[in-house]
Amino acid sequence: MSSAKDAVAKLAEPALNNSAMDDAAWVEVIQTMERIYAELVDHQIELEHKNTALVDAQRFVDSVLSAMSDVLVVCDMQGKIQECNAALLALTGQQANDLVGVSLDKLFPPEHSTKLLALFDSDSVGTAKPIELNMLNTDGEAVPLLLSCTARINRHNKPAGRVVTGHPIGKLQRAYSELNLAHEALKEAQHQLIQSEKMASLGRLVAGVAHELNNPVSFVLGNVHALKRYEQRLNQYLDAVHQADSAADCKELRASLRIDHIRKDMQPLIDGSIEGAERVTEIIQHLRHFAAPGPRQQQRFDVVALIHNALQWVSRSQQSKPAIALDCPPELYLSNSEGHVHQIMINLLQNSMDALEHSDAPAAISVQVTVNDKQALIEVADSGPGIAEEDLLRIFDPFFTTKPIGKGTGLGLSISYGLATGQCGGGLSASNRPDGGALFSLTLPLDAEGKDKSQNKAEGVQHG
């Protein structure tokens, strides 16, 4: 029996082994399928994430393109429209499907075809300057655009088309026009302020000007009266000569009428009258330059003589005369705007005079003129209370003044600063002297005309 059982067991052993092998194979197949399915799920999830990111990126690009106020057009190498943004659709009034495949030059007037082709030139893409072209809007009107063109590169790093952007410049032109109008209005207002300040200063200088005019006019008037008396005597003597009176009578009449004295006195009287008339003319010219110097005109003048003239004008109108110390060369000629420099000096000297009214120290003004590095330095100092530290930074601001209401407009120093830096090519600064009082330093180029030419030349080289 045992041998039979062993024989049966031996016969059944291969069958059991075959069954175990089949089970192992199925397990391996199932495990492989599960692994492949898990990888498919992972790939599916990854694709979904990428698709979501792609949709977000597309929405982001679409929102950016829709928000752009500039026109954007994507074209192929032949200039056919492939894509465009909402700004172009709004400008042309067409749908995106209607524009796809249309040549870009159809959106522009025919006369702009040459410029548009030049913009598409492959050699100029990325380097050519933007050009201004007019695009036709929904009403057929020309809308100015500033167009730029950039190459579109494919994945093989080869040119695949062009990306054209257009910036509407109609609003920019209107803004420039409005800015220009505002600038002109500002210049006109500034001119009116300058004129108002000059008239205010002129009103304060009337007494001094009247005195300046009174001296030469009185001198000329006195000379004319003397000449009139001499005329009567000369006529009387000439009548006696023509009546053929005796030589003795003519000699006696000549002595009694003091004809020889008249002859000697005639030339000084005439010279004095001419000098007085020239002095009146000079004062009137200075008055005219101060009141209305007009546009900036370069002329050569003696700034030392101008300072003397300004001092006379300002000091004549003051009830109490301060001590004035001048440290100047005999003469110093500048090439600049004489009227503007005269107004600056009037304002600075008048400001110093006003500061001395509230000073306990002896009233004194000093003016020093030196030359340094092709510039003239004019320093006007006073013995007044000086400038408060907190006011030094605002001293040249328009309408800033420490004077009581009705005593000043706060424009004199501001206008002087503008004239010195803008019209005369120099500078103006304020400080306090160590021993008390204010100090104003005016710098002027010795040759402002030459400086302007060199600046213009440098600017031309830079722009070129």
Side-chain angles (χ1 to χ4, degrees):
M1 286 294 293
S2 60
S3 60
K5 291 181 178 178
D6 293 337
V8 172
K10 289 180 180 180
L11 289 174
E13 185 175 358
L16 292 174
N17 291 336
N18 290 334
S19 176
M21 291 178 60
D22 291 340
D23 291 342
W26 278 108
V27 169
E28 184 178 357
V29 169
I30 292 172
Q31 289 177 346
T32 302
M33 290 180 62
E34 288 179 349
R35 184 173 65 256
I36 294 173
Y37 180 75
E39 292 177 356
L40 288 175
V41 171
D42 292 338
H43 285 303
Q44 179 67 25
I45 294 174
E46 184 178 357
L47 286 174
E48 289 179 357
H49 286 308
K50 290 182 177 180
N51 184 64
T52 302
L54 184 61
V55 171
D56 291 341
Q58 184 65 36
R59 288 177 179 175
F60 175 77
V61 172
D62 292 340
S63 63
V64 171
L65 293 178
S66 300
M68 287 179 61
S69 60
D70 289 1
V71 170
L72 186 142
V73 186
V74 180
C75 302
D76 59 16
M77 295 297 295
Q78 288 72 40
K80 304 289 185 180
I81 298 177
Q82 294 179 321
E83 192 72 35
C84 59
N85 67 342
L88 179 66
L89 301 179
L91 181 63
T92 59
Q94 302 187 44
Q95 300 296 324
N97 295 333
D98 298 333
L99 290 177
V100 173
V102 176
S103 180
L104 182 62
D105 60 357
K106 300 298 182 182
L107 303 180
F108 295 89
E111 60 269 18
H112 287 171
S113 299
T114 304
K115 291 184 177 180
L116 195 61
L117 289 175
L119 186 68
F120 266 72
D121 186 3
S122 59
D123 295 335
S124 64
V125 170
T127 59
K129 294 182 179 179
I131 61 173
E132 181 180 340
L133 295 179
N134 294 327
M135 180 176 284
L136 301 177
N137 64 6
T138 55
D139 300 326
E141 298 176 349
V143 178
L145 296 176
L146 191 64
L147 293 181
S148 300
C149 186
T150 307
R152 182 169 60 88
I153 307 300
N154 61 15
R155 61 189 179 91
H156 302 294
N157 202 28
K158 300 291 184 180
R162 300 287 185 265
V163 178
V164 180
T165 57
H167 179 67
I169 58 177
K171 294 182 179 180
L172 187 61
Q173 290 176 340
R174 288 194 297 271
Y176 275 129
S177 178
E178 293 174 357
L179 182 62
N180 185 55
L181 292 176
H183 180 63
E184 292 298 326
L186 181 61
K187 290 197 298 185
E188 180 62 24
Q190 182 185 26
H191 177 71
Q192 293 178 358
L193 287 175
I194 292 175
Q195 290 299 110
S196 299
E197 177 63 21
K198 282 189 289 190
M199 291 301 102
S201 299
L202 190 60
R204 304 177 64 180
L205 299 174
V206 165
V209 174
H211 185 84
E212 287 291 318
L213 288 172
N214 183 65
N215 285 341
V217 169
S218 300
F219 190 58
V220 171
L221 188 61
N223 288 352
V224 170
H225 283 298
L227 288 173
K228 186 175 182 180
R229 293 194 302 269
Y230 289 168
E231 182 216 8
Q232 294 173 355
R233 297 183 188 180
L234 288 173
N235 287 336
Q236 184 180 351
Y237 177 71
L238 290 175
D239 289 341
V241 172
H242 287 299
Q243 290 173 4
D245 291 347
S246 64
D249 292 340
C250 288
K251 184 176 181 181
E252 182 181 355
L253 183 61
R254 179 171 182 165
S256 63
L257 294 177
R258 303 180 65 188
I259 298 301
D260 294 335
H261 172 74
I262 291 175
R263 291 179 60 190
K264 293 179 180 179
D265 201 28
M266 286 281 287
Q267 190 62 44
L269 287 176
I270 294 174
D271 292 342
S273 299
I274 293 175
E275 181 182 353
E278 289 176 347
R279 178 59 183 154
V280 171
T281 302
E282 181 184 355
I283 293 173
I284 292 174
Q285 287 178 348
H286 280 298
L287 206 61
R288 186 183 63 211
H289 288 320
F290 177 72
R296 180 181 178 184
Q297 296 180 350
Q298 298 292 342
Q299 58 191 43
R300 194 163 179 80
F301 63 94
D302 184 5
V303 70
V304 176
L306 182 144
I307 292 173
H308 281 282
N309 180 268
L311 276 170
Q312 290 178 1
W313 279 34
V314 175
S315 61
R316 296 292 187 186
S317 61
Q318 300 297 316
Q319 294 181 353
S320 59
K321 305 294 190 288
I324 297 177
L326 292 177
D327 184 7
C328 309
E331 59 183 22
L332 177 60
Y333 281 89
L334 306 179
S335 178
N336 212 307
S337 175
E338 183 178 5
H340 291 144
V341 176
H342 190 257
Q343 183 180 352
I344 295 172
M345 290 306 305
I346 289 288
N347 289 342
L348 294 181
L349 292 171
Q350 188 65 65
N351 184 77
S352 296
M353 294 284 186
D354 294 341
L356 295 175
E357 294 181 0
H358 308 287
S359 176
D360 297 330
I365 293 178
S366 64
V367 180
Q368 185 179 26
V369 180
T370 55
V371 177
N372 182 21
D373 192 22
K374 296 183 180 181
Q375 282 190 331
L377 173 62
I378 305 173
E379 294 180 313
V380 180
D382 60 67
S383 60
I387 306 171
E389 292 297 328
E390 62 271 15
D391 295 338
L392 278 174
L393 297 178
R394 302 184 296 162
I395 194 70
F396 295 116
D397 290 350
F399 304 106
F400 174 76
T401 179
T402 58
K403 300 174 185 177
I405 297 177
K407 293 296 184 179
T409 61
L411 288 173
L413 292 178
S414 175
I415 290 174
S416 298
Y417 182 84
L419 292 178
T421 57
Q423 302 294 330
C424 299
L428 181 61
S429 61
S431 60
N432 288 314
R433 297 194 304 170
D435 54 348
L439 173 64
F440 288 88
S441 301
L442 172 65
T443 57
L444 297 171
L446 296 181
D447 186 5
E449 185 175 6
K451 180 179 180 181
D452 290 344
K453 289 181 180 179
S454 63
Q455 285 179 347
N456 293 337
K457 183 177 180 181
E459 290 174 359
V461 171
Q462 182 178 1
H463 292 309

